[in-house]
Amino acid sequence: MNKFKLSILTMAIATAGVSSHSYAQQAEATNNAAPVKEEQIEVIGVTGFRGSLQKAQAVKMSENSIVEVLSAEDIGKLPDTSVAESLARLPGLAGERRNGRTSGLSVRGFNENYVGTSLNGRELLGMGDNRGVEYDLYPSEIVSTAMVYKTPDATLMAQGIGGTVDLQTVRPLTAEDTFVVNLNYEQNDQNAGNPDFDDHGHKASINYIDKFVDDKLGFALVLSSIESPRQEQQFRGWGYPEAATTKGAPGVTVPDDTFILGGHDTFTRSAMLERDSIAAIFEYDASDDLKIKFDALYIDFNETDVRRGLEEGMAEWGTGAYTITEVQDGLATAAYHDGFFSVIRNDAREQDAELKTFGLNLEYNINDDWTTELDISTGKVDKTITDVESYSGVGRAGGLGPDNRPITARSWVMTPSGAMFGAHPTIAPVDLTDPSIIRLAGPQSWGGSLDPVPEFQNTGDGYGPTTAQDGFVNNPVFEEELDSVRLQFNGVVEWGIFTGLETGVVYKDRTKSKVNNGAYLTANVWPNSDAIPDVLGVADLSFVGINGVLAYDSLALYNNGYYIATDAAFLENGRFGDTYEINEKITTLYGMLDINTDAGSIPVTGNIGVQIVKSDQEGFGFNASSGADRYTNAIPVSGGADYTDVLPSMNLSFEVADSQFIRTAVSKVMSRPRLDDLRPNSQVTFNFNDTNILDDDPLNSAFAGNAGNSELKPLEADQFDLSYENYYHDNGFIAASFFYKDLKNWHRNITLINDFADYYIPGFHETSTGLPPATTLGRLDIRQDGLTGFVRGYELQASVPFDIIDEVLDGFGLVASATFMDGELDDGGRVPGLSEEIYTLTAYYERAGFEFRVSGTKRDQFATETRGLSLSLSPTVDQGSELWDAQIGYDFSESGIDALDGLRVSLQGQNLTDEKTIQNNPGDTRQVTQYQSFGRNFLLGLNYKF
């Protein structure tokens, strides 16, 4: 029976330190491999970026599944500064920038909520709102190898429809003893738009590996600390209502179905991310038959940011006093308006998160042919967000008599980045940077939800509850725990084409909860108002044509007790409506047979297996609505379901020529439902907008409701894959792949028309002039199973060392890929994370200690989410991006200077073209809903290996 020619591969796998999942599959081939030649060892000795490519290629070649591999250049040194950036360069994968960082990740068109993520084979908790892992929060220094499984086998527990990402730490008993120190200085080229934040930061890490007790006990330790700044200029459009046809300037016709910008939030944002991490791995060969491994990871994450700018209502949604001066193809592209008192926003957010995960693995050799393995792990994440909104302006809304406050008037034109503002043609501007006219009080009557609070009843001088909102604080608290136990048996069998068997059982117990705290903030001098205390300076808004606003520290005001905080839980139905706990208990029985045979003269390897997954899920939450006393009625509810899924899989690899493989796979894959979709909650809402209140169309009325569904089944797909891979060089290959995912169950949002008459409160649910709603009918949105669809795609990739052209080009090389996908859901919806085209390119030179590379990634538009009202996630479309990075460095180990041996210096530039992030309404890319600019980022690094 033929075997793979793995002499080179075996060395690379051992050097890369890949997981037992990969390594065990090669054990038999390794034992039968030809003796390793000296010249082959020399090839594997290539270090740096070329060495990482060679290790990754070796692992990819050795796998029966279709995989992509990321390997560290050296201990504690991935090719990029974060796991997310490096993974985003792999074929079929695409990164998503959030607030300037590559954080999200799509695999074959599915974002991280539909991608399984594991650490050393164990499912990894994220720090986000859902199941998806925010990859940039995990320090790159802990990762030795990252495996992306595009086709699953039955032993892979953290599955997703998109694929599985397994982050693997170093194995200290097989790794080189080392002590490495990394230091980086970080600088953003966009000056801080806020006077109290820096535009520079740093990163430091230590990697230590050693062996003891005659090399039977191995220990690895990683310490990492980072302070990373981000600067951002942001425009956010509220939306685009239909414009009145009577609002055209002289000579300007406004046709029916013309849309216009209804308002904007414009901010300059400054942020500082701080993350401290500790990772420890113990490995002990207790005897010839017993191996023990223990690993632990701790991450303490904190990010503070401020967003200072303006919130202004515009046409239709903020004022009726507007005039359109230009219309193009159904969009008002230029206009001017007045009639709205600008709300100066000094918002501050602090995110605190802590992750702890521990794992214990015991491996015992029963005999020469059979082993058993017990793996026990536990993980926990705690996350709290404190998001303070602070409102100020030209004076408090309300009061008796004429309103003499100066009112903002502007002209504006639509641009590809949103609105650009200018002077009104007849009304003088208001200087919002003048401390003499700005008061720490809400200039808009937005406090309608405070109506039942006795403290804010009408004072007799025109100030009542609607004038008492000077800010708001969102303070959601998330907790998540995951415990798992895995027992498996591996052995050699001689059953015809089947040569190995792995079978086992896995039990997981997962709990995630969210408490959606919030409070209305009122200045403690209400109904009076104070001047701005401790003015920090001016927040610059010149990027949208506005000179700026006064800057102050709203988080300090909140923490120091300046504001009266009125708990929103019983005033805003969405608080209890989005407070929940989800419990999952999942038991998986699995078995997999290894295949090793010949088809004529063609060696064939692979596996066939099945998972039987029994799920028991339960959700606890509240039904929330307003009672006659105008306070929220919160009724505890629960729901759940139990069911069983059967997931077969098969992977086959044909070595059709020397180092040329055709791989194919068929499988049934699934992703568990989003955790926020599993909440049993429901809530009734009422939109205090006169336009909606007076609209008799149920789809646009003021009444609405929404509900989760604790009985949702997993999202499922039948998957087919085919690939050709040609490893023509130790450091070069070409590959082409096709995949098709037939989505058998996807979750859809259905809208029902519901009568909310039982929830109508006369005298409360009315217009600003006291008129009742035109109808009590409204939309009720519910999540359901049953949607179908498909995703298919082609992937092309190549790794080309230029020395195959001529020896004079030794050290030059190119790595490139292109991915083309299409797909849709049967209701016409988009698959979250799917870009139809993705391109990656890395050109490098590495020789005699000199290192240079330039890397680019490009993806087109895709469906995603952004934080909306009360920090809830709202669907949107991202226009995609093209990001270019570059790095230059020198490894003094090649210099011949003994005193500098072990030192490596590097300079890296990120986002060199200052790529913007743009989101828009799906129907018209000109209707910009969010524009973000982050500037370029530079890092100067020192790496010393003792």
Side-chain angles (χ1 to χ4, degrees), residues 512-515 573 575-583 618-624 633-640 676 678-683 708 710:
K512 183 157 189 169
S513 65
K514 177 183 180 181
V515 180
N573 296 339
R575 297 294 148 182
F576 278 106
D578 197 30
T579 293
Y580 56 84
E581 179 179 300
I582 307 298
N583 297 328
E618 190 172 17
F620 302 88
F622 300 89
N623 289 338
N633 288 329
I635 302 172
V637 293
S638 62
D676 54 359
L678 285 175
R679 59 189 171 88
N681 307 45
S682 66
Q683 59 177 301
S710 293

Short mmCIF file of all heavy atoms in Angstrom, two decimals, residues 512-515 573 575-583 618-624 633-640 676 678-683 708 710:
data_model
loop_
_atom_site.label_atom_id
_atom_site.label_comp_id
_atom_site.label_asym_id
_atom_site.label_seq_id
_atom_site.Cartn_x
_atom_site.Cartn_y
_atom_site.Cartn_z
N LYS A 512 -25.01 31.46 28.56
CA LYS A 512 -24.70 32.87 28.26
C LYS A 512 -25.87 33.73 28.70
O LYS A 512 -27.03 33.40 28.43
CB LYS A 512 -24.42 33.09 26.78
CG LYS A 512 -24.01 34.55 26.48
CD LYS A 512 -23.22 34.69 25.20
CE LYS A 512 -22.66 36.09 25.05
NZ LYS A 512 -21.69 36.20 23.95
N SER A 513 -25.55 34.83 29.38
CA SER A 513 -26.60 35.73 29.85
C SER A 513 -26.25 37.16 29.49
O SER A 513 -25.08 37.53 29.33
CB SER A 513 -26.78 35.61 31.37
OG SER A 513 -25.61 36.04 32.05
N LYS A 514 -27.31 37.93 29.35
CA LYS A 514 -27.18 39.37 29.12
C LYS A 514 -28.18 40.09 30.00
O LYS A 514 -29.36 39.74 30.01
CB LYS A 514 -27.43 39.72 27.65
CG LYS A 514 -27.37 41.23 27.37
CD LYS A 514 -27.71 41.55 25.91
CE LYS A 514 -27.66 43.05 25.63
NZ LYS A 514 -28.00 43.36 24.23
N VAL A 515 -27.70 41.07 30.75
CA VAL A 515 -28.57 41.96 31.51
C VAL A 515 -28.43 43.33 30.88
O VAL A 515 -27.36 43.95 30.95
CB VAL A 515 -28.20 41.99 33.00
CG1 VAL A 515 -29.13 42.94 33.75
CG2 VAL A 515 -28.26 40.59 33.60
N ASN A 573 -39.16 49.41 27.40
CA ASN A 573 -39.48 47.99 27.31
C ASN A 573 -38.33 47.15 26.78
O ASN A 573 -38.22 45.95 27.07
CB ASN A 573 -40.72 47.78 26.45
CG ASN A 573 -41.96 48.41 27.06
OD1 ASN A 573 -42.00 48.67 28.26
ND2 ASN A 573 -42.96 48.68 26.23
N ARG A 575 -35.38 47.09 27.64
CA ARG A 575 -34.41 46.63 28.65
C ARG A 575 -34.71 45.19 29.06
O ARG A 575 -33.87 44.31 28.97
CB ARG A 575 -34.44 47.56 29.86
CG ARG A 575 -34.01 48.97 29.54
CD ARG A 575 -32.54 49.03 29.14
NE ARG A 575 -32.29 50.09 28.17
CZ ARG A 575 -31.11 50.34 27.63
NH1 ARG A 575 -30.08 49.59 27.96
NH2 ARG A 575 -30.96 51.30 26.75
N PHE A 576 -35.91 44.94 29.54
CA PHE A 576 -36.28 43.56 29.86
C PHE A 576 -36.44 42.73 28.59
O PHE A 576 -36.22 41.51 28.60
CB PHE A 576 -37.59 43.54 30.66
CG PHE A 576 -37.38 43.81 32.13
CD1 PHE A 576 -37.75 45.03 32.68
CD2 PHE A 576 -36.83 42.85 32.95
CE1 PHE A 576 -37.56 45.29 34.03
CE2 PHE A 576 -36.64 43.09 34.31
CZ PHE A 576 -37.01 44.31 34.85
N GLY A 577 -36.83 43.39 27.50
CA GLY A 577 -37.00 42.65 26.25
C GLY A 577 -35.71 42.10 25.69
O GLY A 577 -35.73 41.21 24.83
N ASP A 578 -34.57 42.60 26.17
CA ASP A 578 -33.27 42.13 25.70
C ASP A 578 -32.41 41.66 26.88
O ASP A 578 -31.19 41.72 26.82
CB ASP A 578 -32.57 43.25 24.92
CG ASP A 578 -31.41 42.72 24.07
OD1 ASP A 578 -31.49 41.56 23.63
OD2 ASP A 578 -30.44 43.47 23.87
N THR A 579 -33.04 41.21 27.94
CA THR A 579 -32.36 40.61 29.08
C THR A 579 -32.71 39.13 29.10
O THR A 579 -33.90 38.78 29.15
CB THR A 579 -32.78 41.30 30.39
OG1 THR A 579 -32.30 42.65 30.39
CG2 THR A 579 -32.23 40.56 31.59
N TYR A 580 -31.70 38.27 29.06
CA TYR A 580 -32.00 36.85 28.89
C TYR A 580 -30.84 35.98 29.38
O TYR A 580 -29.73 36.47 29.65
CB TYR A 580 -32.27 36.53 27.42
CG TYR A 580 -31.15 36.92 26.48
CD1 TYR A 580 -30.05 36.08 26.28
CD2 TYR A 580 -31.17 38.14 25.81
CE1 TYR A 580 -29.02 36.45 25.43
CE2 TYR A 580 -30.14 38.51 24.96
CZ TYR A 580 -29.07 37.67 24.77
OH TYR A 580 -28.05 38.03 23.95
N GLU A 581 -31.12 34.69 29.48
CA GLU A 581 -30.10 33.67 29.74
C GLU A 581 -30.40 32.47 28.86
O GLU A 581 -31.54 32.01 28.78
CB GLU A 581 -30.09 33.26 31.21
CG GLU A 581 -29.06 32.17 31.52
CD GLU A 581 -29.04 31.78 32.98
OE1 GLU A 581 -28.78 32.66 33.83
OE2 GLU A 581 -29.29 30.58 33.27
N ILE A 582 -29.36 31.97 28.19
CA ILE A 582 -29.50 30.82 27.31
C ILE A 582 -28.63 29.68 27.85
O ILE A 582 -27.44 29.89 28.15
CB ILE A 582 -29.06 31.14 25.86
CG1 ILE A 582 -29.79 32.39 25.34
CG2 ILE A 582 -29.29 29.94 24.96
CD1 ILE A 582 -31.28 32.24 25.26
N ASN A 583 -29.23 28.51 28.00
CA ASN A 583 -28.50 27.32 28.44
C ASN A 583 -28.53 26.27 27.33
O ASN A 583 -29.57 26.02 26.73
CB ASN A 583 -29.13 26.71 29.70
CG ASN A 583 -29.07 27.66 30.88
OD1 ASN A 583 -28.14 28.45 30.98
ND2 ASN A 583 -30.06 27.59 31.76
N GLU A 618 -32.42 25.84 26.29
CA GLU A 618 -33.47 26.50 27.05
C GLU A 618 -33.11 27.96 27.23
O GLU A 618 -31.95 28.30 27.45
CB GLU A 618 -33.64 25.82 28.41
CG GLU A 618 -34.87 26.27 29.18
CD GLU A 618 -35.13 25.44 30.43
OE1 GLU A 618 -34.20 24.74 30.87
OE2 GLU A 618 -36.26 25.49 30.95
N GLY A 619 -34.12 28.81 27.11
CA GLY A 619 -33.93 30.25 27.28
C GLY A 619 -34.85 30.80 28.34
O GLY A 619 -35.98 30.34 28.52
N PHE A 620 -34.35 31.80 29.07
CA PHE A 620 -35.13 32.48 30.10
C PHE A 620 -35.08 33.97 29.82
O PHE A 620 -34.01 34.52 29.50
CB PHE A 620 -34.55 32.20 31.49
CG PHE A 620 -34.49 30.75 31.85
CD1 PHE A 620 -33.38 29.98 31.52
CD2 PHE A 620 -35.55 30.13 32.48
CE1 PHE A 620 -33.31 28.63 31.84
CE2 PHE A 620 -35.51 28.79 32.80
CZ PHE A 620 -34.38 28.04 32.48
N GLY A 621 -36.21 34.64 29.93
CA GLY A 621 -36.25 36.07 29.66
C GLY A 621 -37.54 36.68 30.15
O GLY A 621 -38.14 36.22 31.12
N PHE A 622 -38.01 37.71 29.43
CA PHE A 622 -39.18 38.47 29.86
C PHE A 622 -40.01 38.88 28.65
O PHE A 622 -39.47 39.16 27.59
CB PHE A 622 -38.77 39.74 30.62
CG PHE A 622 -37.97 39.47 31.86
CD1 PHE A 622 -36.58 39.40 31.81
CD2 PHE A 622 -38.60 39.31 33.09
CE1 PHE A 622 -35.83 39.16 32.95
CE2 PHE A 622 -37.86 39.07 34.24
CZ PHE A 622 -36.48 39.00 34.17
N ASN A 623 -41.33 38.93 28.86
CA ASN A 623 -42.22 39.65 27.95
C ASN A 623 -42.43 41.05 28.52
O ASN A 623 -42.81 41.19 29.69
CB ASN A 623 -43.56 38.93 27.83
CG ASN A 623 -43.45 37.64 27.05
OD1 ASN A 623 -42.52 37.45 26.27
ND2 ASN A 623 -44.39 36.73 27.26
N ALA A 624 -42.15 42.07 27.73
CA ALA A 624 -42.14 43.44 28.25
C ALA A 624 -43.12 44.32 27.47
O ALA A 624 -43.11 44.33 26.24
CB ALA A 624 -40.73 44.03 28.17
N ASN A 633 -44.24 46.51 32.31
CA ASN A 633 -44.62 45.23 32.89
C ASN A 633 -43.68 44.18 32.33
O ASN A 633 -43.63 43.98 31.11
CB ASN A 633 -46.07 44.87 32.53
CG ASN A 633 -47.07 45.73 33.26
OD1 ASN A 633 -46.83 46.16 34.38
ND2 ASN A 633 -48.23 45.96 32.63
N ALA A 634 -42.96 43.50 33.21
CA ALA A 634 -42.01 42.47 32.78
C ALA A 634 -42.45 41.13 33.36
O ALA A 634 -42.43 40.94 34.58
CB ALA A 634 -40.60 42.81 33.24
N ILE A 635 -42.87 40.23 32.49
CA ILE A 635 -43.37 38.93 32.90
C ILE A 635 -42.33 37.87 32.53
O ILE A 635 -41.98 37.72 31.35
CB ILE A 635 -44.70 38.61 32.21
CG1 ILE A 635 -45.73 39.70 32.53
CG2 ILE A 635 -45.20 37.23 32.62
CD1 ILE A 635 -47.02 39.57 31.75
N PRO A 636 -41.78 37.14 33.52
CA PRO A 636 -40.79 36.11 33.20
C PRO A 636 -41.36 35.04 32.28
O PRO A 636 -42.51 34.60 32.44
CB PRO A 636 -40.44 35.52 34.57
CG PRO A 636 -40.81 36.58 35.56
CD PRO A 636 -42.01 37.27 34.97
N VAL A 637 -40.56 34.65 31.29
CA VAL A 637 -40.96 33.60 30.35
C VAL A 637 -39.76 32.68 30.12
O VAL A 637 -38.61 33.05 30.38
CB VAL A 637 -41.44 34.17 29.00
CG1 VAL A 637 -42.72 34.94 29.15
CG2 VAL A 637 -40.36 35.05 28.37
N SER A 638 -40.05 31.50 29.63
CA SER A 638 -38.99 30.56 29.28
C SER A 638 -39.46 29.72 28.11
O SER A 638 -40.65 29.66 27.79
CB SER A 638 -38.62 29.67 30.47
OG SER A 638 -39.72 28.88 30.87
N GLY A 639 -38.53 29.08 27.48
CA GLY A 639 -38.85 28.22 26.35
C GLY A 639 -37.64 27.42 25.97
O GLY A 639 -36.53 27.68 26.44
N GLY A 640 -37.81 26.45 25.12
CA GLY A 640 -36.68 25.64 24.71
C GLY A 640 -37.10 24.51 23.81
O GLY A 640 -38.25 24.39 23.39
N ASP A 676 -28.61 35.47 20.66
CA ASP A 676 -29.65 36.48 20.87
C ASP A 676 -30.96 36.09 20.17
O ASP A 676 -32.04 36.54 20.58
CB ASP A 676 -29.19 37.87 20.44
CG ASP A 676 -28.66 37.92 19.02
OD1 ASP A 676 -28.63 36.88 18.35
OD2 ASP A 676 -28.27 39.02 18.58
N LEU A 678 -32.10 33.06 20.27
CA LEU A 678 -32.68 32.02 21.11
C LEU A 678 -33.41 32.57 22.34
O LEU A 678 -34.03 31.80 23.08
CB LEU A 678 -31.60 31.04 21.58
CG LEU A 678 -31.08 30.04 20.54
CD1 LEU A 678 -29.93 29.23 21.12
CD2 LEU A 678 -32.20 29.13 20.07
N ARG A 679 -33.35 33.86 22.57
CA ARG A 679 -34.05 34.41 23.74
C ARG A 679 -35.56 34.22 23.56
O ARG A 679 -36.10 34.42 22.47
CB ARG A 679 -33.70 35.88 23.91
CG ARG A 679 -34.07 36.75 22.74
CD ARG A 679 -33.52 38.17 22.84
NE ARG A 679 -33.71 38.88 21.59
CZ ARG A 679 -34.80 39.56 21.28
NH1 ARG A 679 -35.80 39.64 22.13
NH2 ARG A 679 -34.91 40.19 20.12
N PRO A 680 -36.26 33.86 24.64
CA PRO A 680 -37.71 33.68 24.53
C PRO A 680 -38.47 34.99 24.66
O PRO A 680 -39.70 35.00 24.62
CB PRO A 680 -38.01 32.76 25.72
CG PRO A 680 -37.00 33.14 26.74
CD PRO A 680 -35.75 33.48 25.97
N ASN A 681 -37.76 36.10 24.80
CA ASN A 681 -38.37 37.40 25.09
C ASN A 681 -39.26 37.90 23.98
O ASN A 681 -39.11 37.55 22.81
CB ASN A 681 -37.27 38.45 25.33
CG ASN A 681 -36.25 38.04 26.36
OD1 ASN A 681 -35.77 36.92 26.36
ND2 ASN A 681 -35.88 38.95 27.22
N SER A 682 -40.18 38.78 24.38
CA SER A 682 -40.92 39.60 23.42
C SER A 682 -41.08 40.98 24.04
O SER A 682 -41.00 41.14 25.25
CB SER A 682 -42.29 38.99 23.11
OG SER A 682 -43.12 39.01 24.25
N GLN A 683 -41.28 41.98 23.18
CA GLN A 683 -41.48 43.34 23.68
C GLN A 683 -42.39 44.11 22.75
O GLN A 683 -42.43 43.85 21.54
CB GLN A 683 -40.14 44.06 23.83
CG GLN A 683 -39.33 44.18 22.54
CD GLN A 683 -38.05 44.96 22.74
OE1 GLN A 683 -38.07 46.13 23.14
NE2 GLN A 683 -36.92 44.33 22.46
N GLY A 708 -37.93 36.79 20.19
CA GLY A 708 -36.97 35.76 19.86
C GLY A 708 -37.67 34.42 19.74
O GLY A 708 -38.90 34.33 19.73
N SER A 710 -36.86 30.47 21.23
CA SER A 710 -35.99 29.48 21.90
C SER A 710 -36.09 28.10 21.30
O SER A 710 -35.38 27.18 21.75
CB SER A 710 -36.35 29.41 23.39
OG SER A 710 -36.02 30.61 24.04
#
